[in-house]
Amino acid sequence: MSDEDRDEATPAATPPPAASPPTFDAPPPVPPPPGRPPTVGVPRDGRIAFTAALLNLGGLGLGYLYLRRWLRALPSLTATAALLWAALPATAEGVPGAWPALYAGLALLTAVDGWRLGRPPTLGGPRLAWVPASAGVLLLALPVAGVVSFADAQRRALESDLGDRLAAADRLVAEAVAAADFADAEPGYRSALDEYLAVRAAHPDTEAAGEVPGRLDSLYERATAGGSGGDRCAALDPLRFFRALPEELDDTEARRLAGRAGEDLPEPLHGCGLGLAAEAGARSAEVPLAELLAEFPDSEYAGALPGELGELQAAATDAIGGAEPCQALTRLRSLNGLFGRLPGPEFTTLAEEGAATVPEGLYRCGTDHFTAGRFGEADGVLGELVEDHPDHRRAERAGDILIAARIAAHLPGAGAELPPEPGTAGGGSVTLELRNDSPYALEFLFTGPLTGSRTLDGCDGCEVYPDDPGDAACSADLDYPTVTVELPAGDYYFLHSSPDEPTRELAESDQLDPDYVYTYCSYITEDDLGGPWLDDPGTDA
C-alpha cells in the first residue's frame, strides 16, 4: 500500500481530555529551635578540644578562657597563685612539700575537662571560639617559660648556697693552718674535707662541685706545707692523715688524695729519720725509718738508707778519738740500737760493726771523765768496760784508772793525774802487810806509783767494835786473814771497803818509805755501819 493509500485509510485522531492539577496535603507546622545545644550524638571538634586541653595543661586555665567558660578558670588561677606564693622567692630546696605533684594533677584534670568541653557551637548560639590552635600553643609557652625561669633561679640559688658552704669550709682550713701543731689542726681539716666531699657527692653536676677538686688540692698543700721549711718530720702526720682517708671515706677524691700522699710520703720519712739519727736521736728515728722500709721498701729512699746510716756510724766511730769521746760514744750506741731494730741483713751487719767499737769508746770516755775530775762518771763507764769486756785490750788499763777514780771520789788527790802505766815506777820496794780484824770481807784499793787491789775474807771470831779499839785491834789470838803486798816506794792513796755490806768506806793516804815495813789492821766499829761515805779523810787502820 502506498503512502497515500495508507493515509487515506487511517481515521482521524481524537484529542485527549485536559488533565486536572495535582492536589497536596498541608505541610506540618515548623517546631521552635532548642533552648540549648544538644549533648548527645553531636561529635566533638578535634581542633577545639585539643586547643582547650593544651591550654589548660599549662595550669593557668587558659583553655577555659579559650572556650569562654570564665568561672571554670578561677580554680586554676587560684592554684597558680598559691603555687607562686609557695615557690617564690626561689631557693635551693625548690618548692616545698607536695605542691608540684598537686599542681600537676590539677593541670591534668583541667586538660581532660577542656577536652570534654571542646564541642561545636550551638545552633543559634555564640559564634566559633576566637583563638586558633597555633595561638594556644604559643600561650602554653608562657607557663613553660615560667617553669624554665624558675628552674634557672633555683639553680642559681643552689649554686649560691653551695658557694657559701665551700667558703665556710675554706675558713675552717685557714683556721687549721694557723694551729700550733697538726693534732690541733686535724679536726678543722677533717670538717673542711667532709664538707667539700658532701657538696660534691650531693650535687655532682653543679659548678660548686666542679670547684671541689681544686679546693681539696689547696687543703692538701696547706696541710702538708710544714715540711717545706726544712722540718721533714712536720709533714709526716698530715701525709699519714691523707693516706688513710680511703679507710674511712668511700670517695674517688679521697682515694686520689691518698694516692698523692703515698707518692709524697717516702721523702719526708727518709729526711726525718735520717735527720734524727744524725742528731743522736736514733731512738726517735726508728719510727719513720721503720715505716719507710715497711711501707715503701722499693723506693729509692729505702734503698739508699743503709749506706747513709753507715756514713753516720763511721763519723761517730772517728769522733771517739776526738775531743768529745763521750758524745761520740752516745751517738754510736744509739745508732747501734737503731740498726738492731731495723729490718734487713744490712742493718744487722752495721749493728755488729758498731758494737765492736764500743769498748774503745768506753775507755776513751771513762778516761775523759777522769781527767776532768768527774770521778763518779768515770767509775760507771770504766766499770762497764771491765765487767762487760774483760778480754778487750784496754780492760787492764781501764781497771787501774777505775781504782784511782773510786779512791779519788773520797780523796781527790788520787785523781790529780792518770795512774802510771804498769812497770814504769822506780825506786826501792816497800813491804806492806794487811790484816782484816772484821767479820766482813775486805776490799783494799791503792793507787800511787803502782795501782791495784787486794781482797781478804772476813775474820772468823772477829766482831764489830763498839768504838775505837786502839792497840787492841788485831791483838787477839786469832788467825786474821792477811795479805802482803810489795809496792814501789812513794805517795799512796788507800781505800778500805766491804762492798757487799752496809759499811762506810774508809780512805787514807800515806808516804811509803823503803826503810820501813808497814802493817795495816782493818776493823769495823759501830759508827762505821750504815754509812756509805767517809765524811773526812782518815782510816781506822
Side-chain angles (χ1 to χ4, degrees):
M1 182 178 295
S2 65
D3 292 338
E4 292 179 357
D5 292 338
R6 189 182 298 117
D7 291 339
E8 291 178 358
T10 304
T14 304
S20 60
T23 60
F24 299 94
D25 296 333
V30 178
R36 60 178 182 176
T39 58
V40 178
V42 180
R44 292 185 177 88
D45 187 323
R47 290 173 300 171
I48 295 176
F50 174 77
T51 302
L54 188 65
L55 290 174
N56 275 354
L57 194 60
L60 298 176
L62 298 179
Y64 292 129
L65 300 181
Y66 171 58
L67 297 175
R68 301 185 182 184
R69 300 297 183 97
W70 316 112
L71 294 179
R72 283 181 175 270
L74 290 179
S76 295
L77 294 174
T78 301
T80 300
L83 179 65
L84 292 176
W85 175 83
L88 297 178
T91 63
E93 291 76 17
V95 182
W99 278 102
L102 294 175
Y103 188 78
L106 178 63
L108 289 174
L109 290 176
T110 57
V112 172
D113 191 46
W115 175 270
R116 185 180 63 83
L117 295 176
R119 302 175 183 279
T122 58
L123 295 176
R127 59 187 177 83
L128 288 172
W130 38 264
V131 180
S134 59
V137 173
L138 293 177
L139 290 175
L140 180 61
L142 291 177
V144 172
V147 171
V148 173
S149 176
F150 179 79
D152 181 68
Q154 182 181 0
R155 181 191 61 79
R156 285 185 279 108
L158 176 61
E159 293 287 358
S160 178
D161 287 352
L162 296 179
D164 291 342
R165 291 175 62 182
L166 294 180
D170 292 342
R171 289 192 291 273
L172 291 175
V173 174
E175 294 172 0
V177 169
D181 52 47
F182 187 74
D184 296 331
E186 182 176 354
Y189 288 133
R190 166 67 70 182
S191 298
L193 179 67
D194 290 343
E195 187 69 359
Y196 289 146
L197 295 180
V199 167
R200 184 174 181 271
H203 308 281
D205 298 327
T206 60
E207 295 177 2
E211 298 177 9
V212 166
R215 277 179 158 84
L216 289 174
D217 287 336
S218 176
L219 184 155
Y220 177 91
E221 291 163 3
R222 299 182 73 180
T224 59
S228 61
D231 183 5
R232 298 298 186 187
C233 299
L236 295 184
D237 285 341
L239 288 171
R240 290 165 177 154
F241 166 77
F242 286 108
R243 190 165 181 252
L245 287 179
E247 299 175 5
E248 306 174 24
L249 301 173
D250 184 14
D251 187 277
T252 55
E253 284 299 303
R255 289 189 288 273
R256 181 177 70 84
L257 292 177
R260 183 176 177 182
E263 294 175 357
D264 294 342
L265 189 54
E267 192 276 336
L269 284 173
H270 170 267
C272 173
L274 203 61
L276 291 174
E279 296 167 4
R283 181 165 293 277
S284 300
E286 177 184 355
V287 173
L289 294 183
E291 183 177 350
L292 172 64
L293 294 170
E295 299 293 332
F296 308 98
D298 298 327
S299 67
E300 59 177 314
Y301 299 103
L305 196 57
E308 293 167 331
L309 291 176
E311 292 176 1
L312 293 179
Q313 183 188 62
T317 299
D318 294 341
I320 284 177
E324 297 180 341
C326 294
Q327 292 185 12
L329 175 63
T330 299
R331 186 176 305 114
L332 177 64
R333 302 182 86 167
S334 180
L335 288 171
N336 290 346
L338 173 64
F339 300 153
R341 294 186 294 271
L342 293 179
E346 305 94 336
F347 302 106
T348 301
T349 300
L350 287 175
E352 293 172 351
E353 293 173 352
T357 310
V358 168
E360 180 68 20
L362 291 170
Y363 175 78
R364 298 273 187 173
C365 177
T367 302
D368 185 68
H369 281 313
F370 184 92
T371 56
R374 299 185 294 268
F375 303 118
E377 289 87 342
D379 187 347
V381 175
L382 294 172
E384 180 182 350
L385 172 57
V386 171
E387 293 176 9
D388 295 347
H389 308 279
D391 298 327
H392 192 266
R393 65 184 184 88
R394 297 282 197 179
E396 183 176 355
R397 176 61 176 160
D400 289 346
I401 302 174
L402 174 62
I403 290 172
R406 290 178 176 175
I407 299 173
H410 302 290
L411 301 173
E417 59 184 5
L418 290 171
E421 294 279 355
T424 60
S429 178
V430 176
T431 300
L432 185 149
E433 184 179 272
L434 179 65
R435 298 176 182 177
N436 185 16
D437 186 5
S438 162
Y440 306 125
L442 172 66
E443 182 180 54
F444 178 68
L445 307 181
F446 57 90
T447 186
L450 183 66
T451 300
S453 65
R454 298 291 188 272
T455 58
L456 288 84
D457 295 333
C459 172
D460 293 335
C462 296
E463 298 179 354
V464 175
Y465 290 98
D467 51 28
D468 190 347
D471 293 339
C474 294
S475 63
D477 186 16
L478 295 174
D479 186 14
Y480 297 104
T482 303
V483 64
T484 300
V485 184
E486 296 293 329
L487 300 175
D491 295 330
Y492 280 88
Y493 297 88
F494 303 106
L495 181 66
H496 305 253
S497 66
S498 296
D500 297 330
E501 303 296 337
T503 60
R504 184 171 55 174
E505 293 181 326
L506 307 174
E508 67 170 341
S509 62
D510 202 353
Q511 184 179 22
L512 301 185
D513 191 310
D515 295 332
Y516 294 88
V517 174
Y518 294 85
T519 300
Y520 285 84
C521 178
S522 181
Y523 55 87
I524 301 293
T525 67
E526 293 179 355
D527 290 340
D528 296 328
L529 297 177
W533 303 109
L534 179 66
D535 296 332
D536 299 308
T539 182
D540 290 333

